[in-house]
Amino acid sequence: MNEMASIIGDGQMALVLADALAVRGVPARIWSPFSRDATSLQITRRSPRLPEMELPRNTEVTDQDGLAFDGCTIIFSAIPTQHLRSVWRRLRPHVRADVCLVSVTKGIEIGTNLRPSEVIEDVLAGESNGVSDGSRRNASQRIVVLSGPTIASELARRLPASLVAASNHLQCAERVQELLRVPWLRVYRNDDVLGVEIAGATKNVIALAAGMIDGLEAGSNAKSALLARGLAEIARLGCAMGAKLDTFFGVAGVGDLATTCFSPEGRNRTCGERLARGESLENILASSTSVVEGVPTAKAVVQLARAHGIDMPIAQAVHAILFEGLSPEKAIHGLMSRELKVESVG
Amino acid sequence: MNEMASIIGDGQMALVLADALAVRGVPARIWSPFSRDATSLQITRRSPRLPEMELPRNTEVTDQDGLAFDGCTIIFSAIPTQHLRSVWRRLRPHVRADVCLVSVTKGIEIGTNLRPSEVIEDVLAGESNGVSDGSRRNASQRIVVLSGPTIASELARRLPASLVAASNHLQCAERVQELLRVPWLRVYRNDDVLGVEIAGATKNVIALAAGMIDGLEAGSNAKSALLARGLAEIARLGCAMGAKLDTFFGVAGVGDLATTCFSPEGRNRTCGERLARGESLENILASSTSVVEGVPTAKAVVQLARAHGIDMPIAQAVHAILFEGLSPEKAIHGLMSRELKVESVG
């Protein structure tokens, strides 16, 4: 393949993407926002965020903004949601208008309530920087959202996984499929960018609640009921915003939700479990090497639900636990004892 | 409450139902098809099928067909699918026409491809026995299907769980809600009897595949992708048969599927795991104290899929592993490497 990939970010997803690209023979460059992390990764070829993985030999590492996109034909954006805008503002002057942009971030930006792909578009379209506005305005057509059940430690061991490449730009989605065509990955195409991003963001909020069920030792019946009710409220929000119901049945919908709720390694699930066992949110976040996306996303999701007039009792309970001092025990009890009624998505 | 319940069957679900009914102050009688088991349960108040649970003091046990329904206002049917017809033929002469019938069986009858509630209806409608045919023909209106994520060992510990009471008869469904209104259970109503039964039957087949993924140590990303693809094929079959799509999003749909695929205690998941580790099906079934419903159901589901022209690759792979000697490893590999395409339920 005549491709060269830039990976923006040095977290878990950046590392496992570099591994898959290396196996496909695609040169990749990881850009880190932090000089010290870039140097350490460059020299040791290992990251404390995914210690079991060694960086492929042909993966470059840089912290130089001007080198981030040098020669690249495709960009993978793997930056935590709340830092996305500042990073892309910083890198914007160096982006060529004709590259495909692949976003793997799962969250909603606080304040704007924008999805990751919208934040990137917003930054690229917002300010002139020597490139014609016309090509900037087309950014959304070149964006692919890549999502699915992808616990990174499993990908580092090359265990099988499925993803969805969602885009309005068929050719970019097909290029992502081709770039990641390694034996352990299966990438489906989907044109519901909105639905895939809403599913990816909100599942982390539900996973916080799932972790609380684990912390309270309430069992897998309760967790599975929560998963079903959580999926219903995710779909309710997504469909109100214009997403397709089918998306929430897919690997990036219920698939990602299931792995996030049940894998012992999920960060959001683990955070919820520790909260229910009595640890403070501050302590948990301070001890985590990676961002727990569900925490800021809970704020944005509750705002989105309000804006769209959607009832999201689980997300609202998680928000109340995180930011309003409600006890997980009381919250779970409250969810279980809501008035008996006919269950429905609508 | 002025109710008296008969529970047909002495398996795990029969025992945990007796517990909930006792807490509600409802007298219950368990009928066992086997004299020896009935005597043992009557004396020891414990069953090898759920050793952690003690039978409530006010639960009677009988093996007498004539006593099975004596004085009862509602019947819970908790017999394995493939024995349902013979048991109900045996008990038919004693059924009063005006009682509500609650079916908790999850499966499809081999040969007829009937759902459990249909088998009961079929038996009750099929032969005259002194009660007018008119009241017999109304059996379907008095049937409630009770389903959901209900790992019995958790219910025995009274951990929280949700269920769905599906019926065309609102009053019977409401009576089931009322009978099971204990602090650890939440029962939703639903009028999609067909969808709830198809979901309950087919999830056991998908869980066999989920267990194989565990046996092959392929990870939770793979298992979650399987869950999503499995849910899609369950919904595809159900909708082709006339079920509502919403049902598969509910606790009796994705909720039950999740707990069956992820709980270490699930019988079908465990059976799949042991198969993938190289044990023979005969050995596994011989060593199980409870029926592994997914095994016979796989036969029926593959036939149903064929009859309705539905593609169910996971169920077909499970069938090939169980009955045609395909290796789990090859089957999982085959599922992962199917042609890349747009994912969809339809």
Side-chain angles (χ1 to χ4, degrees), chain A residues 151 154 220-221 224 249 259 339, chain B residues 151 154 220-221 224 249 259:
Chain A
I151 294 284
E154 293 187 8
S220 64
N221 292 338
S224 297
F249 266 114
T259 209
E339 193 198 351
Chain B
I151 294 284
E154 294 187 7
S220 65
N221 292 338
S224 298
F249 266 114
T259 210

Side-chain angles (χ1 to χ4, degrees), chain B residues 41 54 103 108 116 135 145 159 162 223 230 243 249 319 323 343:
Chain B
L41 185 60
E54 191 179 351
S103 168
I108 303 283
S135 41
V145 168
L159 293 176
S162 298
K223 191 152 82 169
F249 266 114
H319 186 274
F323 308 115
E343 71 166 348

Side-chain angles (χ1 to χ4, degrees), chain A:
Chain A
M1 270 179 295
N2 211 1
E3 299 261 24
M4 150 83 203
S6 286
I7 303 172
I8 302 309
D10 60 2
Q12 292 186 328
M13 273 307 285
L15 301 168
V16 298
L17 283 170
D19 181 51
L21 292 167
V23 169
R24 289 292 282 148
V26 177
R29 182 184 304 115
I30 286 180
W31 175 88
S32 169
F34 310 109
S35 291
R36 206 169 53 177
D37 292 354
T39 308
S40 163
L41 185 59
Q42 174 67 35
I43 294 170
T44 66
R45 315 304 288 173
R46 290 197 185 263
S47 163
R49 290 176 179 161
L50 200 57
E52 59 269 53
M53 207 193 110
E54 191 179 350
L55 205 63
R57 220 170 286 189
N58 64 347
T59 305
E60 294 175 31
V61 184
T62 185
D63 66 340
Q64 300 296 303
D65 300 0
L67 291 178
F69 304 127
D70 193 35
C72 83
T73 58
I74 192 159
I75 300 171
F76 290 87
S77 172
I79 295 286
T81 313
Q82 311 309 327
H83 301 288
L84 206 47
R85 186 172 292 273
S86 62
V87 164
W88 275 95
R89 272 193 186 141
R90 183 172 152 185
L91 295 176
R92 182 179 49 195
H94 311 288
V95 186
R96 283 208 338 269
D98 60 340
V99 293
C100 283
L101 266 161
V102 187
S103 167
V104 302
T105 303
K106 295 172 181 174
I108 303 283
E109 191 180 49
I110 294 178
T112 64
N113 288 345
L114 291 179
R115 298 174 273 117
S117 73
E118 291 179 313
V119 174
I120 298 173
E121 274 175 46
D122 196 37
V123 174
L124 292 186
E127 293 162 54
S128 95
N129 51 29
V131 183
S132 77
D133 279 342
S135 40
R136 287 296 169 216
R137 246 181 275 127
N138 286 329
S140 70
Q141 292 180 18
R142 293 178 287 107
I143 287 194
V144 178
V145 169
L146 185 64
S147 189
T150 48
I151 294 284
S153 60
E154 293 187 8
L155 291 182
R157 291 157 58 207
R158 298 184 180 171
L159 294 176
S162 298
L163 298 107
V164 166
S167 185
N168 299 315
H169 193 291
L170 179 66
Q171 198 221 330
C172 281
E174 285 178 341
R175 276 171 64 191
V176 173
Q177 288 185 300
E178 192 55 28
L179 278 167
L180 300 178
R181 202 161 52 76
V182 291
W184 64 95
L185 295 182
R186 185 171 181 197
V187 183
Y188 293 97
R189 281 197 316 279
N190 185 317
D191 60 7
D192 184 12
V193 178
L194 168 70
V196 168
E197 280 191 304
I198 290 296
T202 48
K203 59 105 195 182
N204 284 329
V205 181
I206 306 298
L208 283 165
M212 291 173 202
I213 288 187
D214 288 339
L216 298 171
E217 297 177 14
S220 64
N221 292 338
K223 192 153 80 169
S224 297
L226 178 103
L227 182 147
R229 303 306 299 154
L231 181 65
E233 70 180 58
I234 290 173
R236 210 150 50 211
L237 176 66
C239 292
M241 295 174 70
K244 294 179 185 167
L245 186 61
D246 257 21
T247 299
F248 302 95
F249 266 114
V251 293
V254 65
D256 199 4
L257 180 64
T259 209
T260 311
C261 289
F262 280 95
S263 167
E265 305 188 37
R267 280 176 243 167
N268 294 278
R269 195 209 60 76
T270 304
C271 173
E273 182 172 356
R274 291 171 67 180
L275 277 170
R277 293 197 196 279
E279 274 189 74
S280 74
L281 184 58
E282 293 67 33
N283 258 0
I284 298 167
L285 297 183
S287 69
S288 178
T289 55
S290 299
V291 172
V292 183
E293 282 280 14
V295 174
T297 302
K299 277 189 191 166
V301 164
V302 164
Q303 281 182 10
L304 268 182
R306 204 175 297 136
H308 290 271
I310 297 298
D311 189 26
M312 297 187 74
I314 300 170
Q316 279 143 4
V318 168
H319 186 274
I321 292 164
L322 293 174
F323 308 116
E324 298 159 27
L326 180 66
S327 86
E329 207 149 5
K330 268 196 186 148
I332 297 294
H333 187 262
L335 287 172
M336 280 296 293
S337 61
R338 294 182 86 215
E339 193 198 351
L340 290 182
K341 57 177 185 181
V342 178
E343 71 168 348
S344 77
V345 177

Side-chain angles (χ1 to χ4, degrees), chain B residues 78-280:
Chain B
I79 294 286
T81 313
Q82 311 309 326
H83 301 289
L84 205 47
R85 187 173 291 273
S86 62
V87 164
W88 275 96
R89 272 193 187 143
R90 184 172 150 185
L91 296 175
R92 181 178 50 193
H94 311 288
V95 186
R96 283 207 338 269
D98 60 341
V99 292
C100 282
L101 267 161
V102 187
S103 168
V104 302
T105 303
K106 295 171 181 173
I108 303 283
E109 191 180 50
I110 295 178
T112 64
N113 288 346
L114 292 178
R115 298 174 273 116
S117 73
E118 291 179 314
V119 173
I120 298 173
E121 274 175 46
D122 196 38
V123 175
L124 293 185
E127 292 162 54
S128 95
N129 52 29
V131 184
S132 79
D133 279 342
S135 41
R136 287 298 170 215
R137 246 181 273 125
N138 286 329
S140 70
Q141 293 181 17
R142 290 179 287 108
I143 287 193
V144 178
V145 168
L146 185 64
S147 189
T150 49
I151 294 284
S153 60
E154 294 187 7
L155 291 182
R157 291 159 58 206
R158 298 184 180 172
L159 293 176
S162 298
L163 298 106
V164 165
S167 184
N168 298 314
H169 194 291
L170 178 65
Q171 198 222 330
C172 280
E174 286 178 339
R175 275 172 65 191
V176 172
Q177 288 185 300
E178 193 54 29
L179 278 168
L180 300 179
R181 203 162 51 76
V182 290
W184 65 96
L185 295 182
R186 185 171 182 197
V187 183
Y188 293 96
R189 282 197 315 279
N190 185 316
D191 60 6
D192 184 12
V193 179
L194 167 71
V196 168
E197 280 191 304
I198 289 296
T202 47
K203 59 106 194 181
N204 284 329
V205 181
I206 306 299
L208 283 165
M212 291 173 202
I213 287 186
D214 288 339
L216 298 171
E217 298 177 13
S220 65
N221 292 338
K223 191 152 82 169
S224 298
L226 178 103
L227 182 146
R229 304 305 300 155
L231 182 64
E233 70 181 57
I234 289 173
R236 210 151 50 212
L237 176 65
C239 291
M241 294 174 71
K244 294 178 184 168
L245 186 61
D246 256 21
T247 299
F248 302 96
F249 266 114
V251 293
V254 65
D256 200 4
L257 180 64
T259 210
T260 311
C261 288
F262 279 95
S263 168
E265 305 188 37
R267 282 176 242 167
N268 293 278
R269 194 208 60 77
T270 303
C271 174
E273 182 172 355
R274 291 170 66 179
L275 276 170
R277 294 198 195 280
E279 273 188 75
S280 75

